[in-house]
Amino acid sequence: MAQSSPNFDNIQGDIWPGLSKKYEQFFFFQITSPDAFKPNLKRLLAHKKITTSNDAINNRKMIAKHKQEKPGVLQEIAAVNIAFTFKGMQKMYPEDGFKDDPYRKGMEGDMVNEGRDKIQEWDDAFKASNGGIDGVFFVCGTEKKVKETTAELAKHYFNEARGIKHVITLDGRERDGENYKHEHFGYLDAISQPRLTGFDEECKKGDGNYQFMCRPGRIIVGHDGEMGNEPKLMHGDWAKDGSYLVIRKYEQFVPEFNNYLKAESQKLHLTPDQLGARMMGRWKSGCPVELHPDQDNPALARMNEFNYNSESGSNCPFAAHMRKVKPRIDNRDRDMNDIMRRGIPYGPEVGPDEASETKLDRGLIFTCYQSSISNGFQEIQRQWINKNTFPDGKEDYIGDQNPGQDCIVGQLVGRPRNDRDKVLTTAICNGKGEHTSTSYTPFIQSHGGDYFFSPSISLLQAMTKADF
């Protein structure tokens, strides 16, 4: 497929280039009356309330200019995007041409019924038995402006008189100070994002940021690379410039994670920081443990220009989180499984009364975009993260063991049949250079979410006219 110039006025801005988000509110809703909501959606578009890629680019320029002119003074800003579950799209638009099977099932059907999530651990709002979710609008920016914008939209556009029932609101907030851009376990997040051909500038080799360019159709529908450019697998023109969005709430058990590192590192002849770096795949600064296995090097915090040794897990275990979800040399198709991550932390910092166990809910509102949930999030979660044999064929390099499940976000099997299924196990090289393994209970818990489609502006406009 020949790549045409992208229409930045037709793509929602969080897909690309991403919305600025010091603070974010997710407003999940059900559509009680499509006939009442369609004219309201039309009004929402006419008032230009949905932030496009062009808007996001201009916002970035405005923020950069403000920082130069008024250093230390916060630029108040808010941006809005919207997305719909398959159930919500069925209510709003008669087109039934969605090709992605997980999207059609929804997250509960995919991650609970066929995956390792436990429905009793999900927030009630996301359960199908309570009606589930039809859509979400989310507002990103600075806290004051975000809350004002969310309140305005809820009052004038998303209310019962307009055919909308509010289900739940989730709040995400970037951490402050030295923890800025770090998730709650303490590691720098969102370092290695796909760079899209025709959208992003290509990196030059040697600057540390170089990586293979991703065909834009792996993230955005209707562009080069979508489903390998196989016509029978691709969406129709109506879906162009849209993207599938996964929203998933992960609670993180931070005190338990830190206590595990302290206790287990002694057994493995490592320091807690060394063990944590091996489990994550990067040091807390972001420096790759593959390049610096023994000591952090903050100067390489955002280093992307490296590869793993496909015949060794000595520096970075094969089951380290960063290696599991982006295996680099061990992934045969370099961009098929790429996702664009846009997550944000939620919840308070760990308090002084939480030295031994978690008492308050905190974690990550994980979000990501892709043109195929099957190839993106689902493949990564099921076949990479939770599969103890991935990457395949590594037993000879790690003492005749399997690599193990993802160290950070791995999940137990739904119905453990024996003791080994009641823990996660990871092959690791200890501080003496010996192949061994370590076991632990999961450090995260899924509280649910759903699969959405983020339509283009033109599809949103078509939705306002659609009739069954």
Side-chain angles (χ1 to χ4, degrees):
M1 174 188 289
Q3 176 62 31
S4 58
S5 298
N7 180 357
F8 293 145
D9 289 317
N10 199 41
I11 301 170
Q12 293 198 56
D14 197 45
I15 302 171
W16 188 92
L19 301 178
S20 175
K21 48 182 74 176
K22 288 183 176 294
Y23 190 84
E24 185 169 10
Q25 285 195 315
F26 298 83
F27 183 102
F28 295 92
F29 59 86
Q30 294 172 353
I31 301 168
T32 56
S33 173
D35 288 338
F37 184 57
K38 285 176 183 179
N40 197 48
L41 177 59
K42 184 176 182 179
R43 192 165 63 96
L44 191 76
L45 294 166
H47 294 169
K48 297 188 181 299
K49 297 293 186 180
I50 305 299
T51 305
T52 67
S53 294
N54 248 340
D55 296 332
I57 292 169
N58 291 332
N59 284 345
R60 290 187 175 198
K61 293 177 180 178
M62 180 177 64
I63 292 170
K65 182 179 180 182
H66 184 84
K67 284 182 178 179
Q68 287 184 337
E69 296 177 349
K70 298 181 180 180
V73 179
L74 193 65
Q75 169 72 62
E76 294 288 350
I77 192 171
V80 181
N81 274 186
I82 190 170
F84 299 87
T85 63
F86 180 62
K87 183 164 68 79
M89 285 298 295
Q90 284 183 307
K91 291 181 179 182
M92 292 293 293
Y93 193 67
E95 176 61 60
D96 194 26
F98 287 101
K99 300 294 184 79
D100 196 74
D101 185 57
Y103 174 67
R104 299 172 71 95
K105 290 178 183 175
M107 184 179 288
E108 183 175 327
D110 191 41
M111 287 289 122
V112 176
N113 298 345
E114 299 180 15
R116 296 190 179 183
D117 279 18
K118 298 176 179 62
I119 193 63
Q120 64 269 27
E121 296 174 350
W122 273 36
D123 289 353
D124 288 342
F126 297 117
K127 296 177 181 177
S129 59
N130 293 323
I133 302 295
D134 289 335
V136 60
F137 78 79
F138 49 97
V139 187
C140 314
T142 51
E143 183 171 356
K144 178 183 176 182
K145 189 68 173 177
V146 164
K147 288 183 174 179
E148 289 175 351
T149 303
T150 301
E152 176 199 353
L153 291 172
K155 180 179 180 180
H156 297 292
Y157 298 91
F158 293 88
N159 53 62
E160 292 188 11
R162 307 289 185 181
I164 293 298
K165 178 184 177 182
H166 175 234
V167 178
I168 189 175
T169 298
L170 298 182
D171 295 68
R173 182 199 308 272
E174 285 289 1
R175 301 173 71 203
D176 297 325
E178 63 181 11
N179 293 320
Y180 183 62
K181 294 297 182 183
H182 291 64
E183 46 72 53
H184 279 291
F185 289 138
Y187 297 85
L188 187 65
D189 200 10
I191 299 171
S192 183
Q193 294 276 41
R195 298 180 64 82
L196 306 185
T197 302
F199 287 67
D200 296 295
E201 291 184 7
E202 293 196 26
C203 300
K204 295 181 180 179
K205 288 186 176 181
D207 69 356
N209 289 316
Y210 176 79
Q211 57 186 312
F212 288 113
M213 297 297 287
C214 173
R215 288 172 288 177
R218 294 303 197 188
I219 307 297
I220 307 174
V221 172
H223 291 258
D224 179 40
E226 181 196 350
M227 301 306 293
N229 296 332
E230 287 287 339
K232 291 182 180 180
L233 302 178
M234 298 168 66
H235 293 75
D237 290 342
W238 57 272
K240 184 176 181 179
D241 288 339
S243 185
Y244 289 105
L245 166 64
V246 174
I247 301 180
R248 189 163 166 85
K249 182 184 176 187
Y250 285 116
E251 182 178 6
Q252 294 176 264
F253 302 119
V254 180
E256 290 83 351
F257 178 71
N258 291 335
N259 289 334
Y260 162 81
L261 294 182
K262 291 176 185 177
E264 193 71 7
S265 60
Q266 297 180 33
K267 302 175 186 177
L268 295 171
H269 306 286
L270 299 166
T271 68
D273 282 346
Q274 286 174 332
L275 177 56
R278 281 159 173 73
M279 295 185 75
M280 182 63 72
R282 290 181 183 264
W283 295 84
K284 288 186 175 180
S285 73
C287 172
V289 73
E290 177 75 7
L291 301 182
H292 289 269
D294 298 321
Q295 187 172 347
D296 192 3
N297 183 352
L300 300 182
R302 293 188 175 276
M303 167 63 70
N304 269 320
E305 195 170 343
F306 73 97
N307 222 322
Y308 297 112
N309 183 341
S310 63
E311 298 183 356
S312 174
S314 297
N315 290 358
C316 183
F318 290 111
H321 174 61
M322 298 297 184
R323 190 165 187 172
K324 274 277 194 177
V325 299
K326 194 175 179 66
R328 297 176 185 257
I329 197 171
D330 287 316
N331 189 15
R332 291 181 293 274
D333 190 320
R334 65 178 178 84
D335 68 355
M336 183 175 74
N337 309 107
D338 279 354
I339 57 175
M340 191 71 77
R341 292 167 290 127
R342 303 293 189 204
I344 190 168
Y346 77 87
E349 296 296 322
V350 174
D353 62 337
E354 294 182 280
S356 59
E357 65 178 349
T358 297
K359 294 183 178 180
L360 298 175
D361 184 18
R362 67 179 58 82
L364 182 73
I365 303 174
F366 173 84
T367 65
C368 71
Y369 292 95
Q370 57 263 282
S371 63
S372 166
I373 297 174
S374 298
N375 290 337
F377 171 78
Q378 187 197 62
E379 175 81 4
I380 293 171
Q381 182 71 40
R382 284 195 191 174
Q383 300 301 320
W384 296 3
I385 288 173
N386 285 333
K387 193 173 180 181
N388 69 354
T389 57
F390 180 84
D392 302 325
K394 303 300 182 184
E395 295 84 355
D396 289 346
Y397 311 125
I398 48 178
D400 200 28
Q401 310 173 80
N402 288 320
Q405 300 90 347
D406 186 301
C407 298
I408 303 298
V409 297
Q411 296 176 289
L412 297 176
V413 296
R415 295 180 177 83
R417 296 180 179 178
N418 47 56
D419 288 343
R420 71 172 180 271
D421 290 334
K422 296 178 182 179
V423 294
L424 302 179
T425 301
T426 294
I428 194 169
C429 202
N430 67 18
K432 294 183 176 182
E434 301 165 334
H435 292 297
T436 184
S437 64
T438 178
S439 297
Y440 43 89
T441 54
F443 300 115
I444 61 94
Q445 181 173 297
S446 168
H447 289 299
D450 219 326
Y451 298 150
F452 300 83
F453 187 73
S454 295
S456 66
I457 301 303
S458 58
L459 179 53
L460 286 170
Q461 291 169 340
M463 290 165 62
T464 68
K465 306 169 188 175
D467 193 14
F468 287 93

